[in-house]
Amino acid sequence: TVSMSLRLDAGSWVWGFEATLPGAAQTLVEPTSAGPVELSAWISGTEFRVLAEQVSRDRTFGQTVLRVSGRGRQALLDAPYAPQMSFNNPQARTHQQLFDDVLTLNGIPLGWSIDYGLEAWNVPAGVFAHQGTHISALTTLARACGAYLIPHHSANAFQVRPLYPAAPWHWGEVIPDFILPAAAVSRESIVWKDKPAYNRVFVSGQEQGVLGQVTRAGTAGDVLAPMVTDSLITTAAAARQRGLAVLSDTGRQLEVGLRLPVLPATGVIQPGAFVQYQEEGDEAEDQGVVRLGLVRSTSVEVGWPEVYQSLGVECHA
């Protein structure tokens, strides 16, 4: 491998990758009649399984280089590999069971697993109706309660996690998943953003749903966010989780970019992890601010022998 990059963000459900390879590897990576070749990439002891979906070749001054790009194996659940289908629930199911139902065909499991990290709720018969691929059905289910899919790096598996595992006003009580040494962060960038300071939102189902009023505790609830509707909001638990996601994405925020090596102690840090780092001080005696944030994007750059990762981190002022 000459070079390689991997990327994932909270708005995606699959790892993307690009690599340059020696021309001699062409027969190993070019697609076959059965579809794209699956490749295995190891970074700091972690395996990433990816599909070589696009392969191009450049020859300059007698040197041939292949450019390969594609996505993780979760792409098999989406177009062009998976057909458009109709998904529904003829019987009452829990929200968690609907994920499992999507990953079956004629009652037979497809071989994929879901690590469900939400508060499940009951969905009456006939409420869930979706036309699309397996992955579009999964993302629709997750979005209903303000959650998202985190793909496993090598297995046929997903995690389903809330966009905000804890409300930002409780982040002072959060134990970080990773504490980044100040000396390890080679680059830091910060963009300040101000979003409306909503403290109340109405969340509604549709034909068989509920109307929930979610208010941030300790506030007057006097700044109302736009109403949210989703057919899957059928219980208070669903409304509360969706409302928390809306009210958490408010107020003054910082988009922090951090670049650091892929350390043995951390490996590749994925979206959904809480990280703590110390902001660089401006003076010798200034130790800088200690910040806690939620990783929203990860980009890994492999250029032997160096392996770096760039993290997009959401912090709240």
Side-chain angles (χ1 to χ4, degrees), residues 227-299:
M227 186 174 180
V228 175
T229 60
D230 192 294
S231 62
L232 290 168
I233 305 297
T234 55
T235 70
R240 181 174 60 254
Q241 291 177 90
R242 181 63 176 267
L244 175 63
V246 172
L247 298 183
S248 293
D249 189 18
T250 56
R252 167 151 283 205
Q253 301 180 17
L254 291 78
E255 289 184 355
V256 178
L258 302 175
R259 187 172 189 264
L260 67 156
V262 176
L263 304 169
T266 66
V268 176
I269 300 174
Q270 301 191 33
F274 278 102
V275 297
Q276 177 183 300
Y277 82 101
Q278 184 166 305
E279 185 180 309
E280 189 73 27
D282 293 327
E283 304 292 342
E285 66 275 7
D286 183 3
Q287 295 300 307
V289 178
V290 175
R291 298 193 185 278
L292 177 84
L294 194 55
V295 177
R296 292 305 194 194
S297 65
T298 301
S299 176

Side-chain angles (χ1 to χ4, degrees), residues 21 25-31 36-37 39 52 55 66 68:
L21 303 171
Q26 179 174 333
T27 58
L28 300 177
V29 299
E30 60 186 358
V37 173
L39 307 177
V55 180
L66 299 178
V68 184

Side-chain angles (χ1 to χ4, degrees), residues 7 65 71 79 83 87 113 130 132 140 152 168 171 214 232 236 242 284:
R7 61 193 177 277
V65 174
R71 298 173 290 172
F87 300 91
S113 64
H130 179 79
T140 296
H152 193 278
W171 283 9
V214 183
L232 290 168
R242 181 63 176 267

Side-chain angles (χ1 to χ4, degrees), residues 8-14 135 139 143 147-151 163 271 295-298:
L8 177 67
D9 61 64
S12 304
W13 45 265
V14 66
I135 198 67
T139 55
R143 192 183 309 116
Y148 67 116
L149 300 173
I150 303 176
L163 276 168
V295 177
R296 292 305 194 194
S297 65
T298 301

